[in-house]
Amino acid sequence: MEWFEALALLIGSIMFLMALGMPVALAFLAANILGAWVFMGGERGVVQLLNNGWGSLTKFALVPIPLFLLMGEIFFHTGLGQRMFSAIDRLLGKLPGRLSYVTVLGGTGFSTLSGSSMGSTALLGSLMVPEMIRRGYKKHMSIGPILGTGGLAIIIPPSALAVLLATLAQIDVGALLISGIIPGLILAALYVVTIYIQTRRDPSAAPAYEVEHQSVSEKLGILLRDVVPMVGLMVVIVVMMIRGIVTPSEAAAFGALGVLILAVLYRCLSWEAIKASVRGALRVTLMAYLIVFGSATFSQLLAFSGASRGLIDWATGFELAPVLMLLVMFAVLLVLGMFMEQISMMLLTVPIYYPLATSLGFDPIWFGLIMLLALEISFTTPPFGLLLFVMKGVAPEDTTMREIYLAAIPFIVCSLIVVGLLIMFPPLATWLPSL
């Protein structure tokens, strides 16, 4: 069987099963079993493939995923996240568009910990949009920042999706986490500038309203009590990884323990919150582990059938410049994001993209960061980005898809600027990990 026939059989089987409504992880598992039967000699090949797949789940690099997720679930279910939102809101005072800034700052903190862009968009949409509409904000000032927070959440550590991508691609987890710090800060600055420009051009888009006056000492108290402990925990985790004091797995354990201690100190830890947090983290972790299992076996099948080698030879045969090939791969991810969830996209593309990226001479950490940004941008790309429809579901009933599209575009542009900067100046991603 030719390499393109093997590739068509594997990917076609997956797409067919997904179209029938089968969960993504199970669709990959079924397609992999079919592929093993065809390419690896029937039942014996299936047994060998499954044994190899189980080995992929015993990697120590997977430990941060459930711990980061547990950290985010406790942050949400105990009310620590809401406490931080309220504190940032009070600290910004009468700043024009302050609820938009609150959404970016507080939403990034929550999204980063939760690791789910769809979940954080649904939460922020139901929590912030009604309040901002009640305050007289125009819809683009409320919807746009919420859609934009995902881009920050996926690259600023701790990020469960970054851990998963590094595991699937078999690259250094800590290096990929740390590489997102500088681009993440640049993206946050671009978001702030975007909101500032929008409020300057149209002050009525985010009208000011009276807030309770607070003295400097009161603001300092709010900052130290409700913001510094939460933000400080994330900073400590990142610094310990940069300094090499802890591994990513140990950092995730410290993070989960730190949030638990904060919840006890703030007297907001309950048995119900613990159960809800463990249940939420367990559900996503099981899905992620199934994804890892499916990806590992899928990669082996691609290699065994010759599809990986054939695809690389075919792609490099066009003699395109590496940057042009990168843009083609980026465009494919944007299209896939209109129809698939991020983890599903990783599962489908990482086994194909990373061997190709290696053959083109790309730095694996730098390429991983660009891929993470592509995954997030694809989620908000009109007309079919999945986050756009999540937002439609939680926004006020009179909100049109056109309004959501227009609100998302400025923040998509910000993310594309960061991608352009990474392509022109790779050290933005590679400098910190190199330390």
Side-chain angles (χ1 to χ4, degrees), residues 156-224:
I156 293 181
S159 168
L161 281 176
V163 174
L164 182 57
L165 176 63
T167 304
L168 295 178
Q170 298 183 18
I171 59 177
D172 190 320
V173 174
L176 184 59
L177 285 170
I178 294 168
S179 70
I181 295 174
I182 294 176
L185 293 175
I186 294 172
L187 187 56
L190 289 174
Y191 284 174
V192 169
V193 170
T194 299
I195 295 171
Y196 175 78
I197 292 173
Q198 288 176 329
T199 54
R200 293 287 293 179
R201 288 180 58 190
D202 183 10
S204 65
Y209 55 90
E210 289 300 318
V211 294
E212 181 182 348
H213 176 72
Q214 291 171 325
S215 64
V216 174
S217 60
E218 288 174 326
K219 287 187 176 182
L220 184 61
I222 293 171
L223 179 68
L224 294 176

Side-chain angles (χ1 to χ4, degrees), residues 34-250:
L34 172 63
W37 190 277
V38 173
F39 300 116
M40 298 178 68
E43 183 178 348
R44 183 180 300 175
V46 173
V47 172
Q48 181 62 46
L49 188 76
L50 294 177
N51 287 336
N52 293 343
W54 287 120
S56 67
L57 298 180
T58 60
K59 294 178 180 177
F60 192 62
L62 287 173
V63 173
I65 294 177
L67 292 174
F68 278 150
L69 290 171
L70 181 62
M71 183 179 173
E73 292 287 334
I74 295 173
F75 187 71
F76 169 61
H77 288 291
T78 58
L80 289 174
Q82 181 60 45
R83 192 182 189 104
M84 188 173 71
F85 269 106
S86 301
I88 295 173
D89 183 31
R90 284 180 286 169
L91 288 172
L92 292 179
K94 293 184 178 181
L95 179 69
R98 70 191 181 99
L99 289 179
S100 297
Y101 295 113
V102 169
T103 300
V104 170
L105 298 174
T108 298
F110 172 76
S111 302
T112 301
L113 291 171
S114 72
S116 171
S117 295
M118 295 181 72
S120 63
T121 298
L123 173 72
L124 292 171
S126 57
L127 180 70
M128 299 297 294
V129 172
E131 175 66 15
M132 294 166 87
I133 297 297
R134 189 175 71 82
R135 297 288 187 181
Y137 281 56
K138 292 184 179 179
K139 288 177 182 175
H140 70 274
M141 294 299 298
S142 59
I143 293 172
I146 293 174
L147 293 173
T149 56
L152 286 169
I154 200 171
I155 62 173
I156 293 181
S159 168
L161 281 176
V163 174
L164 182 57
L165 176 63
T167 304
L168 295 178
Q170 298 183 18
I171 59 177
D172 190 320
V173 174
L176 184 59
L177 285 170
I178 294 168
S179 70
I181 295 174
I182 294 176
L185 293 175
I186 294 172
L187 187 56
L190 289 174
Y191 284 174
V192 169
V193 170
T194 299
I195 295 171
Y196 175 78
I197 292 173
Q198 288 176 329
T199 54
R200 293 287 293 179
R201 288 180 58 190
D202 183 10
S204 65
Y209 55 90
E210 289 300 318
V211 294
E212 181 182 348
H213 176 72
Q214 291 171 325
S215 64
V216 174
S217 60
E218 288 174 326
K219 287 187 176 182
L220 184 61
I222 293 171
L223 179 68
L224 294 176
R225 184 180 65 247
D226 295 334
V227 178
V228 170
M230 281 62 136
V231 175
L233 176 62
M234 288 183 268
V235 171
V236 167
I237 290 172
V238 172
V239 170
M240 287 197 300
M241 284 195 293
I242 292 176
R243 300 290 296 175
I245 299 172
V246 297
T247 66
S249 300
E250 293 165 342

Side-chain angles (χ1 to χ4, degrees), residues 410-425:
F411 294 89
I412 292 174
V413 171
C414 291
S415 297
L416 291 174
I417 290 172
V418 171
V419 172
L421 289 173
L422 285 172
I423 293 173
M424 290 187 290
F425 308 106

Side-chain angles (χ1 to χ4, degrees), residues 54-55 144 342 365 376 417:
W54 287 120
Q342 289 161 322
I365 302 301
E376 193 58 45
I417 290 172

